[in-house]
Amino acid sequence: MKILVTGGAGFIGSNFIHYIISEHSDWEIINLDKLTYAGNLENLKNVEGNPRYRFVRGDITDGKLVGSLLQEGIDAIVNFAAESHVDRSILDVLPFIETNIKGTQTLLEGAHQYKVGKFIQVSTDEVYGSTEKGKFIEESPLSPNSPYAASKAAADLLCHAYWKTYQLPLVITRCSNNLGPFQFPEKLIPLAITNALEDKSIPIYGDGLNIRDWISVLDHCRALDFVLQKGEPGEIYNIAANQEKTNLELIHELLDIMGKPQSLITFVTDRPGHDRRYALDITKITRELGWKPTYSFEQALTATVNWYVNHESWWRQIKSGDYAGYYDRMYSHR
Ligand code: NAD
Ligand code: TDX
């Protein structure tokens, strides 16, 4: 199988590439990535020289480039490329519209023209919005609250339209919050780990009681592999591990693992429109495709802490240089 992975230099995409290259000895990957602030070729050092892997720097909104890659004969597209940080979408929504909506449409159009046999749109639980009770199923209405979530929901609707109108064989996956190696240290867990390693405070938005449902990025990658091989065209699959934590519970546990004081926690002004709780029902993917999560939250969190401890130069390079001053800019609206 020859796969076009988009956004493969980011957090989940790079984990997925490592996973596929090691699990499927005859599969090939082309990784198309723009290398925005979130894309990092350091994440792919281990596969760089592999003859089954090729990197192409480029933008998914560039239809000509996408067409030239699809012309080579691609069996499947897995679209990870996105602007992915909610806080950034609150400050400037346009890059989210451009990549998440227009970029997805460009890939869909290319897949349609070149008759690509499989298209996986890597979406998110955030498209369902927030719920205090119960869990979202795949038929739950879309009710996104942040500009990021709205852009992802728009992309999901475009996918639906390409399936209904052109029978483009695509599948949408909606996963909960991931944790693991190579996550950019603007997201809660890597931000907290790296700040704690530097004995800096950890900003907790609002009362810290917002709930997220955490899954190891490796379990997400395995689920995507199941979907690639067994997913039914036109279907949507929720992916989660049903491990809900308030942000405060999570950070308490993390500081305990790291042997750092709870006094590093600092409450800051809440994120505007902050979703209270995400929760997914995963009956469909477990029953129909036979996938289930394998890592507990505690295992995944300990492994993630260890990875950041052992890869200090990776995150220090990001937190210095061009990225320096980012936090001041990011938090100036609070
Ligand atoms: P990320 O921000 O770490 O990586 C995004 C990657 O996309 C980067 O390598 C970036 O350079 C690339 N990119 C951005 N714009 C591009 C463009 N126009 N053309 C080509 N490449 C471009 O994101 P992530 O956390 O790895 O998320 C990957 C996908 O999974 C996203 O679609 C996100 O919505 C979805 N998702 C993420 C999570 C999570 O917890 N992180 C959970 C559910 C779903
Ligand atoms: O400094 C922080 N303090 C804090 O309290 C940050 C960065 C976050 N938070 C809170 C906000 C959320 O309730 O922690 C929770 C997690 O925040 P993020 O790491 O920003 O993730 P979230 O907003 O939940 O979105 C993530 O999961 C779904 C990904 O970034 C999305 O790409 C994915 O779709």
Side-chain angles (χ1 to χ4, degrees), residues 202-209 248 252 264-270:
I202 297 170
I204 293 288
Y205 300 164
D207 60 9
L209 299 180
L248 261 185
H252 285 318
L264 287 179
I265 292 174
T266 307
F267 289 94
V268 299
T269 312
D270 209 353

Side-chain angles (χ1 to χ4, degrees), residues 35 47 82 100 121 137 152 173 190 199 202 243 253 296 308:
L35 297 185
V47 291
N100 301 2
Q121 172 67 4
I137 58 170
K152 293 293 289 188
T173 61
D199 295 311
I202 297 170
Q243 308 189 95
E253 209 167 311
S296 70
Y308 282 88

Side-chain angles (χ1 to χ4, degrees), residues 15 50 62 120 132 148 178 183 217 229 306 318 324:
N15 277 282
N50 192 307
D62 181 347
I120 298 186
E132 303 266 336
Y148 160 72
N178 286 220
Q183 189 171 28
V217 68
Q229 297 193 61
N306 289 339
I318 294 171

